[in-house]
C-alpha cells in the first residue's frame, strides 16, 4: 500500500512539474479594414472552442498567451464587416503572428456578440445604419439612439430640441454630445445651457456613433444625466466621391470628398505606414416648406489626416469650418390658425432668423506600448459665433414694437483630454485600469440678450457681458473581469468649476467669480450567463453645470446639482438573428437653478424624479431584411409638489420608433421608418397638452460599382403634425389681454429628395 501511495505522489509531482515547465506559445494579431487599410479597434476575437475572447485595441492588435502547442481557429467579428475565420498553428516557446483584413458586408445580427469582454462597451450605430435611413443633416443621426427624439423650431439653422428619458433636454442641457471626443455642448450659451449644434458635421463622414443612457461612465462628465453620444468621423475615405441632391421647396445640396493619399497609400511604402488624408465639403440651400421663404444656406469644410508616427503611435489631425444663415417663421399660437390670422405654415413675425459659425481644430495622439499600456492625448480648439432673432410672445411686453429679441455671442474654447490605461492579470482575473485628466475653458465676448425690432434696430440691451468658465477634472476607472461571466466596473470622477462674469452694463464695470466642485462615483455589474444572455446593473452619480450667470449671483452655492441614476437591464439573444435589450431605470435630480436665456432671468427648480422602461428589439427576418422597434415609457414628476400639480412640462411619457431595413447583393438598400411620441403635459397641471404625432419616412438606394442613386421621403403619408410645442403666454397685435396656450412649429409635410453619388 505504501508503494502505491508513493507512486501516485510521484506521478502527481511529475504532472505538476510538466505543467509548470511546459513550453507554451502565443498568438499575436493585427486586424485591418480592407477598404482603408487602417487598423480596426473593437473587433471581437474568439478562440473557437476554448471560450477565450478578447477585443482589438486602439492599434487593431490582439493577443492570446499560454497556449499549448496545437492548431487553433480564430473567429473575428465586427458589425458591418464580414466575419473572418483564420487558422493558426502554435509552437512551443513561439509567438504566431497574424495579419487579417476584414471587408464590408451586409448587416448581420449574428455578428453581435454578447460576452463579458464587451460588458462595459457603449452601444453602437454603424455607418450602414446611417446610409439606409433618411438623413437630412447630422443632427438627425441622433434619432437612431433608441428613445431619443428631436424637434426643430427655427427652420433648420438652430440646434434641435432634444427629448430623452422623460427629459425635455432643450438643446442639450442633460445629454453630453461630442464629435471625436471634442465637446459640442456650449456652457453658459446665449440661448441656453448646454446648447449643442451638430450641424458642423457632414453626415457622409460619420463612421459610427457611440452612445449610452444614464450617468454611468467615469470618463463622461458635464451634462451626462440622461446619457451621452459621441460621433466618430471617418479616418479615411473608401473612395473619393461627389454627391448631388435636389428636392422639393427649392432644396439643393452638394457634397464632395477627395481622398488625398489614395493612389500612394495603395502602393508600396505608404501602405505599410497606414496613413490617410482627405478633404470634404458640403453646401446646402433650401427655402423650406414655410409660407415665408427660409433662404437657408449652410457651408461645411472638413479635412482629416490619420497616420502612424511609429508602429505603436498614431496621430490624427482634424480641421473643420462651418457657416449657416437662415430666416425662420417662428412659433405659431393655436388661436392664430383658428382665427385665420395665419396658415399652418405661416408666421406671426416673419423677421426671425439667425446666423452661426464654428471652426474646430482637433489633435489626437494615441500610443500603445509593448506592455499594452494605452496613452491618449487630445488637444482641441474651437471658435464659435452665434446670432439668433426670436419672438415668442409677440406683443406681450411691448405693444408697439413687439417682443423680438437678439441672442448673440462670440466664443473661443480650448481643452485637453488625456488618459492612461493598462491591463493586468491578477490570478484568473483581468484588471483594466484607466486614469484620466480633462480640461476645458470657454471665453465668450459680448454675450448678449437685447430687445430688437425687425432684426435691424436694437431697442435696449437686457444682458451684456463676458464669460470665462473653466472646468478641470480627474477620474479613475477600474474594469475587472472577475471571470468569463462576471465583470465589475467602478469609477470615481472629480470636477472643479470656476466661473467668472464681467457685466458690461454695470457702471462701473464689475467682474465677479465663483467656484464649486462635485464628486461623481460609479458602480456597474455585468453577469453573462452564456453567449445569449447577460444581466447588468448600472449605478452612478452625474450632473449638469449651471450657467455662469446663475453661478456668480449664487456665490457658487447649489450650482452643480447632482443626478443619481440606476439601470437594471438584460441583453438577450434567444437565437442568432434576434437581439433584445430591456432595462428598468430610475433617475433623481436635486435642486437646481435654471437660467432662461430668452428672458435673462433665473428660475428656481425643485427636485425631480424620472423612472421608466426601455425595450429594444432587433430581428433579422431574412439575409437581407432587418426589423427593429424601440419602446420607451417614462413617469416624470416633480418632488414636493401637490399631486396633479407635479407634471414636468413637455417631458415625453411614451415614445416608440422602428421600421424595416433592406440591403441585398443586387445593389438595392433602404428603409421604411416610423416614429411616434404620445400626448404629454405642456404645463405643471396638465391643463395644456402637447399633442403627439406619428410620422413615417422612407429611404431607397440603388448602388453600382461607381455610383449610387437615392430617393429620400420625409413624412411619406403627408401627416399634419406639430414638431415642437410650448405652453406660452403671448399677446397678438390688437388683443386686449394675453393668452396662454400651445405655440408650435409645424412639422415637415411630404418632402422628397433625389440624390446621385459618383465614386472615383
Amino acid at each position: 500500500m505504501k508503494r502505491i501511495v508513493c507512486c501516485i505522489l510521484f506521478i502527481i509531482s511529475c504532472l505538476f512539474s510538466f505543467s509548470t515547465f511546459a513550453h507554451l506559445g502565443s498568438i499575436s494579431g493585427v486586424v485591418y479594414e480592407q477598404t482603408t487599410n487602417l487598423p480596426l479597434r473593437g473587433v471581437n476575437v474568439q478562440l473557437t472552442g476554448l471560450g477565450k475572447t478578447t477585443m482589438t485595441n486602439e492599434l487593431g492588435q490582439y493577443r492570446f498567451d499560454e497556449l499549448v502547442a496545437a492548431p487553433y481557429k480564430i473567429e473575428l467579428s465586427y458589425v458591418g464587416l464580414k466575419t473572418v475565420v483564420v487558422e493558426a498553428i502554435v509552437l512551443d516557446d513561439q509567438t504566431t503572428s497574424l495579419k487579417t483584413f476584414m471587408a464590408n458586408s451586409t448587416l448581420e445580427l449574428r455578428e453581435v456578440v454578447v460576452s463579458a469582454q464587451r460588458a462595459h462597451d457603449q452601444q453602437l450605430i454603424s455607418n450602414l445604419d446611417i446610409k439606409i435611413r433618411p438623413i437630412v443633416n447630422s443632427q438627425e443621426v441622433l434619432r437612431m439612439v433608441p428613445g431619443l427624439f428631436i424637434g426643430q423650431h427655427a427652420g433648420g439653422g438652430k440646434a434641435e430640441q432634444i427629448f430623452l428619458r422623460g427629459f425635455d433636454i432643450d438643446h442639450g442641457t442633460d445629454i453630453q454630445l461630442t464629435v471625436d471626443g471634442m465637446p459640442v455642448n456650449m456652457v453658459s450659451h446665449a440661448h441656453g445651457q448646454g446648447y449643442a449644434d451638430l450641424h458642423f458635421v457632414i453626415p457622409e463622414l460619420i463612421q459610427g456613433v457611440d452612445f449610452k443612457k444614464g450617468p454611468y461612465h467615469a470618463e463622461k462628465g458635464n451634462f451626462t444625466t440622461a446619457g451621452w453620444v459621441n460621433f466618430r468621423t471617418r479616418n479615411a475615405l473608401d473612395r473619393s466621391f461627389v454627391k448631388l441632391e435636389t428636392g422639393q421647396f427649392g432644396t439643393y445640396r452638394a457634397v464632395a470628398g477627395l481622398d488625398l493619399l489614395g493612389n500612394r497609400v495603395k502602393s508600396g511604402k505608404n501602405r505599410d505606414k497606414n496613413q490617410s488624408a482627405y478633404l470634404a465639403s458640403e453646401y446646402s440651400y433650401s427655402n423650406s416648406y414655410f409660407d415665408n421663404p427660409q433662404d437657408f444656406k449652410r457651408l461645411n469644410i472638413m479635412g482629416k489626416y490619420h497616420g502612424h508616427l511609429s508602429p505603436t503611435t498614431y496621430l490624427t489631425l482634424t480641421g473643420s469650418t462651418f457657416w449657416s444663415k437662415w430666416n425662420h417663421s417662428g412659433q405659431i399660437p393655436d388661436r392664430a390658425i383658428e382665427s385665420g390670422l395665419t396658415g399652418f405654415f405661416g408666421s406671426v413675425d416673419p423677421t426671425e432668423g439667425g446666423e452661426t459659425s464654428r471652426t474646430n481644430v482637433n489633435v489626437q495622439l494615441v500610443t500603445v506600448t509593448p506592455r499594452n499600456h494605452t496613452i491618449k492625448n487630445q488637444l482641441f480648439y474651437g471658435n464659435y459665433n452665434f446670432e439668433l432673432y426670436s419672438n415668442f410672445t409677440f406683443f406681450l411686453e411691448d405693444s408697439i414694437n413687439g417682443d423680438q429679441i437678439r441672442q448673440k455671442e462670440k466664443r473661443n474654447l480650448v481643452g485637453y483630454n488625456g488618459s492612461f490605461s493598462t491591463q493586468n492579470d491578477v490570478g484568473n482575473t483581468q484588471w483594466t485600469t484607466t486614469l484620466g485628466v480633462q480640461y476645458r475653458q470657454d471665453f465668450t465676448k459680448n454675450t448678449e440678450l437685447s430687445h430688437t425690432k425687425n432684426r435691424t434696430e436694437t431697442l435696449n440691451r437686457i444682458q451684456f457681458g463676458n464669460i470665462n468658465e473653466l472646468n478641470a477634472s480627474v477620474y479613475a476607472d477600474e474594469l475587472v473581469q472577475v471571470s468569463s461571466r462576471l465583470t465589475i466596473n467602478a469609477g470615481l470622477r472629480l470636477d472643479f468649476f470656476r466661473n467668472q462674469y464681467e457685466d458690461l452694463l454695470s457702471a462701473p464695470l464689475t467682474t465677479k467669480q465663483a467656484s464649486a466642485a462635485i464628486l461623481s462615483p460609479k458602480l456597474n455589474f455585468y453577469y453573462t450567463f452564456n453567449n445569449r444572455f447577460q444581466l447588468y446593473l448600472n449605478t452612478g452619480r452625474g450632473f449638469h453645470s449651471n450657467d455662469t450667470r446663475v453661478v456668480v449671483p449664487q456665490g457658487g452655492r447649489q450650482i452643480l446639482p447632482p443626478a443619481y441614476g440606476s439601470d437594471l437591464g438584460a441583453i438577450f439573444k434567444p437565437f442568432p438573428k434576434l437581439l433584445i435589450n430591456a432595462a428598468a431605470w430610475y433617475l433623481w435630480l436635486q435642486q437646481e437653478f435654471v437660467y432662461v436665456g430668452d428672458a435673462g432671468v433665473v428660475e428656481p427648480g425643485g427636485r425631480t424624479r424620472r423612472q421608466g422602461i426601455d425595450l429594444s428589439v432587433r430581428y433579422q427576418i431574412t439575409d437581407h431584411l432587418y426589423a427593429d422597434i424601440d419602446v420607451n415609457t417614462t413617469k416624470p414628476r416633480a418632488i414636493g409638489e401637490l399631486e396633479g400639480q407635479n407634471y414636468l412640462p413637455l417631458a415625453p411619457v411614451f415614445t416608440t420608433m422602428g421600421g424595416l431595413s433592406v440591403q441585398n447583393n443586387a445593389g438595392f438598400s433602404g428603409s421604411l421608418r416610423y416614429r411616434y411620441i404620445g400626448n404629454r403635459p405642456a404645463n405643471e397641471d396638465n391643463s395644456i397638452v402637447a399633442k403627439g404625432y406619428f410620422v413615417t419616412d422612407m429611404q431607397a438606394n440603388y448602388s453600382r460599382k461607381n455610383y449610387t442613386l437615392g430617393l429620400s421621403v420625409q413624412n411619406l403619408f403627408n401627416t399634419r403634425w406639430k414638431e415642437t410645442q410650448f405652453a406660452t403666454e403671448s399677446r397678438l397685435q390688437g388683443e386686449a389681454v394675453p393668452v396662454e396656450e400651445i405655440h408650435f412649429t409645424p412639422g415637415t409635410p411630404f418632402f422628397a429628395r433625389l440624390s446621385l453619388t459618383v465614386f472615383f
Side-chain angles (χ1 to χ4, degrees):
M1 182 69 181
K2 188 175 182 180
R3 286 184 177 180
I4 295 173
V5 173
C6 289
C7 288
I8 293 173
L9 291 174
F10 177 74
I11 292 171
I12 292 173
S13 177
C14 289
L15 290 173
F16 176 76
S17 299
F18 175 78
S19 63
T20 302
F21 298 105
H23 300 284
L24 303 178
S26 303
I27 295 176
S28 175
V30 185
V31 184
Y32 298 89
E33 185 179 2
Q34 184 170 297
T35 54
T36 62
N37 193 47
L38 295 179
L40 269 173
R41 173 186 176 274
V43 176
N44 190 78
V45 186
Q46 183 173 5
L47 273 179
T48 306
L50 294 185
K52 286 190 173 184
T53 62
T54 188
M55 291 173 60
T56 56
N57 63 16
E58 298 285 343
L59 298 178
Q61 302 167 335
Y62 66 91
R63 186 180 181 90
F64 294 104
D65 292 314
E66 298 183 358
L67 299 177
V68 176
Y72 292 89
K73 283 189 176 181
I74 303 167
E75 182 175 320
L76 303 99
S77 60
Y78 190 90
V79 176
L81 300 178
K82 291 180 181 177
T83 298
V84 177
V85 178
V86 297
E87 295 183 354
I89 297 176
V90 173
L91 302 176
D92 290 339
D93 297 325
Q94 292 187 26
T95 298
T96 301
S97 298
L98 301 173
K99 181 183 287 188
T100 308
F101 291 86
M102 300 185 72
N104 290 329
S105 172
T106 56
L107 190 60
E108 292 283 348
L109 262 182
R110 61 172 174 246
E111 294 167 356
V112 179
V113 178
V114 178
S115 70
Q117 182 70 29
R118 284 182 172 270
H120 201 52
D121 259 16
Q122 62 274 13
Q123 293 162 285
L124 173 69
I125 297 167
S126 73
N127 62 333
L128 285 178
D129 297 311
I130 298 169
K131 286 179 181 178
I132 61 177
R133 300 192 187 187
I135 301 296
V136 174
N137 56 64
S138 56
Q139 198 97 0
E140 293 191 358
V141 176
L142 289 174
R143 285 193 179 130
M144 297 185 187
V145 176
L148 190 151
F149 276 63
I150 63 172
Q152 175 59 252
H153 55 258
K158 183 180 174 185
E160 276 78 355
Q161 188 177 8
I162 302 173
F163 303 92
L164 179 67
R165 283 204 160 181
F167 279 90
D168 169 15
I169 296 178
D170 195 24
H171 299 284
T173 309
D174 286 285
I175 186 170
Q176 185 192 89
L177 302 182
T178 55
V179 175
D180 293 327
M182 181 178 60
V184 177
N185 304 76
M186 295 294 178
V187 295
S188 305
H189 188 270
H191 185 67
Q193 177 68 334
Y195 185 90
D197 186 352
L198 279 163
H199 293 131
F200 67 89
V201 181
I202 301 173
E204 287 78 5
L205 301 183
I206 300 173
Q207 178 67 36
V209 181
D210 305 323
F211 69 92
K212 196 150 190 174
K213 300 175 188 177
Y216 309 128
H217 275 60
E219 181 187 357
K220 308 300 179 181
N222 197 9
F223 305 117
T224 310
T225 49
W228 59 269
V229 180
N230 178 55
F231 282 34
R232 288 179 289 108
T233 60
R234 290 175 171 272
N235 284 332
L237 298 180
D238 299 346
R239 291 178 289 173
S240 299
F241 71 93
V242 173
K243 182 177 183 179
L244 301 175
E245 289 185 4
T246 184
Q248 294 174 270
F249 315 117
T251 299
Y252 306 95
R253 181 171 179 261
V255 189
L258 180 62
D259 183 358
L260 300 176
L261 297 180
N263 294 329
R264 289 179 287 167
V265 169
K266 292 176 183 177
S267 61
K269 185 177 179 181
N270 282 327
R271 181 181 177 92
D272 296 331
K273 290 186 177 180
N274 301 313
Q275 63 175 337
S276 64
Y278 67 82
L279 183 66
S281 183
E282 170 197 37
Y283 179 77
S284 300
Y285 179 86
S286 180
N287 277 323
S288 197
Y289 50 86
F290 299 99
D291 293 344
N292 299 295
Q294 184 182 358
D295 194 26
F296 168 84
K297 308 177 189 73
R298 176 185 295 135
L299 176 66
N300 269 316
I301 301 173
M302 175 177 168
K304 191 169 188 178
Y305 169 82
H306 177 85
H308 283 241
L309 303 181
S310 72
T312 60
T313 301
Y314 70 76
L315 172 70
T316 305
L317 301 173
T318 308
S320 66
T321 189
F322 149 81
W323 170 85
S324 185
K325 188 174 183 179
W326 68 97
N327 301 317
H328 66 262
S329 295
Q331 297 157 24
I332 309 169
D334 282 344
R335 65 187 185 278
I337 306 294
E338 295 166 0
S339 67
L341 176 65
T342 185
F344 190 78
F345 297 102
S347 177
V348 175
D349 183 354
T351 66
E352 298 182 56
E355 182 175 355
T356 186
S357 64
R358 178 168 179 166
T359 299
N360 304 303
V361 177
N362 191 9
V363 182
Q364 296 167 284
L365 186 70
V366 177
T367 299
V368 179
T369 70
R371 298 183 62 184
N372 204 28
H373 299 159
T374 302
I375 304 169
K376 296 182 181 180
N377 291 281
Q378 178 182 24
L379 289 166
F380 57 85
Y381 165 78
N383 176 268
Y384 173 81
N385 297 279
F386 175 86
E387 184 175 17
L388 181 70
Y389 292 86
S390 307
N391 190 344
F392 305 109
T393 54
F394 312 123
F395 293 91
L396 177 67
E397 304 294 337
D398 188 333
S399 60
I400 298 174
N401 299 301
D403 299 344
Q404 186 182 89
I405 58 171
R406 175 175 63 231
Q407 294 164 316
K408 186 176 181 179
E409 69 168 56
K410 297 180 179 180
R411 176 186 301 254
N412 287 289
L413 66 96
V414 295
Y416 169 79
N417 295 323
S419 67
F420 172 82
S421 181
T422 182
Q423 284 187 356
N424 293 290
D425 293 328
V426 181
N428 293 324
T429 65
Q430 184 181 80
W431 296 62
T432 303
T433 305
T434 302
L435 303 175
V437 177
Q438 297 173 346
Y439 168 84
R440 171 180 174 174
Q441 192 160 5
D442 290 66
F443 308 87
T444 78
K445 182 180 180 181
N446 297 338
T447 297
E448 175 186 358
L449 171 64
S450 294
H451 180 199
T452 61
K453 182 179 180 181
N454 298 327
R455 279 170 75 171
T456 57
E457 184 180 351
T458 301
L459 300 177
N460 69 288
R461 283 178 170 156
I462 302 168
Q463 297 278 351
F464 192 55
N466 299 327
I467 294 170
N468 183 339
E469 182 168 334
L470 179 149
N471 175 202
S473 56
V474 295
Y475 67 89
D477 185 88
E478 193 71 58
L479 183 66
V480 185
Q481 191 170 334
V482 181
S483 67
S484 61
R485 293 187 175 184
L486 177 63
T487 302
I488 300 174
N489 169 249
L492 187 63
R493 179 184 181 90
L494 175 65
D495 281 89
F496 170 79
F497 284 81
R498 190 202 67 195
N499 304 75
Q500 178 178 295
Y501 184 66
E502 181 183 13
D503 189 351
L504 299 179
L505 294 181
S506 64
L509 297 180
T510 59
T511 300
K512 297 181 180 179
Q513 69 177 36
S515 60
I518 187 169
L519 198 63
S520 304
K522 328 280 183 176
L523 185 60
N524 307 292
F525 300 89
Y526 305 85
Y527 191 83
T528 306
F529 289 87
N530 50 50
N531 60 2
R532 295 176 299 167
F533 186 55
Q534 181 185 96
L535 284 177
Y536 61 88
L537 174 64
N538 296 150
T539 63
R541 187 191 202 206
F543 71 98
H544 78 242
S545 68
N546 276 297
D547 193 291
T548 291
R549 289 157 292 188
V550 176
V551 173
V552 171
Q554 296 295 329
R557 296 185 301 274
Q558 294 182 295
I559 51 80
L560 293 174
Y564 298 88
S566 62
D567 272 53
L568 177 61
I571 302 174
F572 183 39
K573 231 185 157 183
F575 52 89
K577 294 189 176 183
L578 177 64
L579 179 67
I580 301 171
N581 193 332
W585 58 272
Y586 180 91
L587 192 60
W588 183 93
L589 276 77
Q590 198 187 60
Q591 165 78 26
E592 57 185 293
F593 296 94
V594 178
Y595 176 80
V596 182
D598 299 335
V601 298
V602 176
E603 289 184 353
R607 295 169 296 162
T608 61
R609 177 184 64 242
R610 293 167 173 85
Q611 55 194 24
I613 295 175
D614 291 349
L615 174 66
S616 295
V617 180
R618 305 288 181 265
Y619 178 54
Q620 191 163 354
I621 302 171
T622 69
D623 288 345
H624 306 294
L625 185 61
Y626 179 86
D628 64 278
I629 183 172
D630 301 308
V631 179
N632 310 90
T633 64
T634 311
K635 185 179 180 180
R637 292 291 186 270
I639 300 174
E641 303 294 334
L642 295 175
E643 188 69 27
Q645 304 288 325
N646 59 346
Y647 294 95
L648 299 181
L650 301 180
V653 295
F654 180 81
T655 62
T656 178
M657 61 181 72
L660 296 171
S661 301
V662 63
Q663 188 175 32
N664 65 27
N665 297 327
F668 290 99
S669 66
S671 63
L672 184 66
R673 311 286 310 163
Y674 82 88
R675 62 186 186 274
Y676 170 78
I677 185 169
N679 293 348
R680 59 199 192 278
N683 60 355
E684 288 79 1
D685 62 4
N686 200 23
S687 60
I688 303 177
V689 176
K691 298 293 185 181
Y693 57 81
F694 186 102
V695 177
T696 306
D697 301 326
M698 184 198 78
Q699 176 74 39
N701 300 320
Y702 177 69
S703 299
R704 304 309 294 169
K705 181 179 179 180
N706 294 319
Y707 68 89
T708 296
L709 292 171
L711 170 64
S712 176
V713 180
Q714 292 182 289
N715 194 0
L716 181 63
F717 301 112
N718 201 27
T719 301
R720 177 160 286 198
W721 58 296
K722 299 176 180 179
E723 186 165 10
T724 58
Q725 302 171 66
F726 303 88
T728 305
E729 184 182 47
S730 66
R731 182 165 58 181
L732 297 172
Q733 194 166 28
E735 286 185 332
V737 294
V739 177
E740 184 180 17
E741 64 175 353
I742 287 292
H743 293 55
F744 71 93
T745 298
T748 309
F750 181 94
F751 181 17
R753 294 175 296 126
L754 287 171
S755 67
L756 170 64
T757 307
V758 178
F759 301 96
F760 56 93

